[in-house]
């Protein structure tokens, strides 16, 4: 039987009340979802991505067990292709991916571009969402789904740090964002600054020129690959901060940076480093495919449950 390789990414669930972390809220994200979901049909769970786009995210199906909530989120758009989502299907409590084949579509149908799975326990979430996508997409959707019941509380999903790093997280002292891999971009305005774009940050070369004046030809140095700029950020762990809290803050830094393959974390001596994309805790699994090429969702669910248990035992 054919199998597909998947990567499960791990995140801790943090509750934010106002601007500060609150530990006193009685209901977890899992609790609030368990209250909300039984009263909904699939159509109630459709979230528009923005007012100017027809794209939507929808929790099409879920399964609740004693240990966790397992779900699949479809990323959909309007369309009339065969075998996609008919309007009446959104009145169902669940829409399985197997249902999306062999149906005759009409002008009101929706197509699904792709999907991802998640499993949520009281403190941890694991997902198949790829590294190229920000976890904020999952976070935004789940917060939207429970908006009426969560009040002023927001839930953050913070990347969990790998336990197999050559540097202990508590010893990380420096983060380096490497030079952009993209070319110069012009705004079209002769008075505007020229910038070099990166997924991690932007370099404003005109501002740098103003620091050196006429003493250095930055354009010539750049053209000959003699000069490049990188961003260094120093970390200092306060003596009264536990290694666990320091690791959590490092995870938050991963959460807000895109292009983690361009980021290096270094320890005390500065020689060894870890690429940002290798910092996050994750697990590779092989999932069997059905005859129609879909994932075996029950096997994936059990693998995600098993990983949640491993993460809980390792905390």
């Amino acid at each position: 039987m054919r199998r597909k390789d998947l990567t499960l990414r791990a995140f801790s669930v943090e509750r934010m009340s106002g601007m500060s972390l609150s530990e006193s809220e009685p209901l977890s994200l899992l609790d609030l979802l368990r209250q909300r979901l039984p009263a909904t049909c699939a159509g109630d769970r459709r979230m528009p991505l923005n007012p100017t786009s027809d794209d939507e995210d929808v929790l099409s199906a879920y399964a609740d067990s004693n240990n966790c909530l397992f779900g699949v989120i479809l990323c959909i758009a309007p369309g009339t292709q065969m075998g996609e989502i008919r309007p009446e299907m959104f009145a169902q409590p669940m829409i399985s991916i197997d249902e999306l084949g062999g149906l005759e579509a009409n002008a009101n149908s929706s197509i699904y571009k792709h999907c991802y799975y998640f499993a949520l326990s009281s403190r941890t979430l694991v997902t198949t969402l790829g590294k190229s996508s920000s976890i904020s997409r999952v976070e935004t959707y789940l917060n939207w789904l429970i908006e009426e019941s969560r009040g002023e509380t927001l839930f953050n999903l913070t990347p969990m740090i790998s336990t197999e790093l050559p540097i202990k997280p508590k010893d990380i002292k420096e983060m380096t964002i490497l030079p952009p891999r993209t070319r110069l971009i012009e705004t079209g305005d002769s008075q505007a600054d020229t910038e070099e774009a990166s997924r991690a940050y932007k370099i404003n070369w005109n501002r740098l020129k103003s620091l050196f004046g006429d003493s250095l030809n930055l354009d010539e140095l750049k053209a000959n690959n003699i000069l490049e700029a990188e961003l260094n950020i120093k970390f200092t762990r306060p003596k009264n901060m536990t290694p666990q809290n320091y690791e959590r803050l490092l995870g938050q830094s991963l959460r807000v940076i895109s292009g983690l393959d361009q980021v290096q974390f270094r320890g005390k001596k500065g020689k060894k480093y870890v690429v940002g994309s290798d910092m996050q805790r994750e697990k590779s699994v092989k999932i069997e495919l059905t005859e129609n090429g879909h994932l075996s969702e029950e096997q994936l669910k059990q693998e995600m449950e098993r990983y949640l248990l491993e993460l809980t035992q390792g905390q």
Side-chain angles (χ1 to χ4, degrees):
M1 182 175 287
R2 291 181 300 159
R3 295 186 177 187
K4 183 174 182 178
D5 294 326
L6 293 177
T7 298
L8 307 180
R9 300 164 64 197
F11 299 84
S12 60
V13 181
E14 298 183 357
R15 182 190 298 110
M16 302 293 292
S17 293
M19 297 300 292
S20 61
L21 185 67
S22 170
E23 299 294 344
S24 60
E25 297 289 340
L27 296 178
S28 66
L29 174 59
L30 178 61
D31 292 330
L32 291 171
L33 286 170
R34 281 174 166 167
Q35 286 184 357
R36 165 71 173 149
L37 291 176
T40 65
C41 63
D44 297 329
R45 303 192 293 268
R46 298 172 69 175
M47 183 192 77
L49 295 190
N50 64 64
T52 61
S53 171
D54 292 325
D55 289 1
E56 297 177 322
D57 283 353
V58 56
L59 177 62
S60 62
Y62 65 90
D64 193 2
S65 65
N66 293 330
N67 298 322
C68 72
L69 178 73
F70 172 79
V72 54
I73 295 180
L74 303 184
C75 307
I76 64 175
T80 57
Q81 298 182 16
M82 285 288 292
E84 302 304 350
I85 310 173
R86 292 287 297 271
E88 58 267 24
M89 297 177 69
F90 288 111
Q92 303 172 185
M94 309 280 187
I95 303 174
S96 72
I97 291 182
D98 285 336
E99 288 183 87
L100 304 184
L103 296 176
E104 183 179 353
N106 60 34
N108 295 317
S109 295
S110 299
I111 61 172
Y112 85 93
K113 298 178 177 180
H114 57 90
C115 69
Y116 61 87
Y117 294 82
F118 73 89
L120 173 69
S121 67
S122 58
R123 296 184 179 182
T124 311
L125 179 141
V126 297
T127 179
T128 62
L129 186 72
K131 288 184 178 181
S132 60
S133 298
S134 171
I135 192 59
S136 62
R137 182 156 191 168
V138 187
E139 184 180 275
T140 299
Y141 181 79
L142 295 179
N143 277 307
W144 170 84
L145 198 56
I146 58 170
E147 187 171 19
E148 293 182 0
S149 56
R150 63 178 169 80
E152 296 182 356
T153 297
L154 282 171
F155 291 91
N156 287 347
L157 301 177
T158 300
M160 299 181 71
I161 303 298
S162 172
T163 57
E164 300 177 354
L165 300 176
I167 307 169
K168 293 182 179 180
K170 68 182 182 65
D171 293 332
I172 289 178
K173 298 294 184 182
E174 180 179 339
M175 177 173 67
T176 301
I177 303 178
L178 302 177
R181 296 176 181 175
T182 53
R183 297 178 177 234
L184 294 180
I185 56 173
E186 298 283 355
T187 63
D189 184 349
S190 59
Q191 301 299 318
D193 289 335
T194 300
E195 296 178 335
E196 189 167 295
S198 164
R199 288 185 295 164
Y201 71 116
K202 290 182 178 180
I203 299 172
N204 191 317
W205 288 104
N206 282 359
R207 296 289 175 85
L208 290 179
K209 287 179 184 178
S210 67
L211 296 177
F212 290 100
D214 298 330
S215 61
L216 198 61
N217 189 333
L218 292 185
D219 291 331
E220 182 179 359
L221 294 175
K222 284 164 51 187
N224 289 282
N225 295 319
I226 297 174
L227 178 69
E228 62 183 21
E230 61 185 28
L231 178 64
N232 288 317
I233 301 173
K234 304 289 186 178
F235 296 98
T236 301
R237 180 168 68 91
K239 292 182 179 179
N240 61 349
M241 179 178 286
T242 65
Q244 292 78 14
N245 276 338
Y246 189 63
E247 183 174 327
R248 181 176 61 82
L249 292 175
L250 287 175
Q252 290 179 351
S253 73
L254 297 180
R255 179 178 173 273
V256 299
I257 297 175
S258 59
L260 285 172
D261 55 331
Q262 295 174 237
V263 180
Q264 295 178 351
F265 289 85
R266 298 181 183 275
K268 294 179 180 179
K269 297 182 180 180
K271 293 182 179 180
K272 291 183 178 180
Y273 69 86
V274 181
V275 177
S277 56
D278 295 333
M279 286 279 289
Q280 185 173 354
R281 195 176 302 188
E282 58 185 39
K283 179 180 181 180
S284 297
V285 295
K286 291 183 180 293
I287 304 299
E288 293 180 353
L289 299 177
T290 63
E291 291 183 359
N292 56 13
H294 295 157
L295 292 170
S296 169
E297 291 187 346
E298 180 57 35
Q299 184 188 6
L300 175 59
K301 174 178 174 291
Q302 291 184 24
E303 287 288 354
M304 297 178 95
E305 283 187 275
R306 184 174 293 110
Y307 191 31
L308 285 173
L309 290 172
E310 292 171 4
L311 293 168
T312 300
Q313 293 169 358
Q315 289 178 348

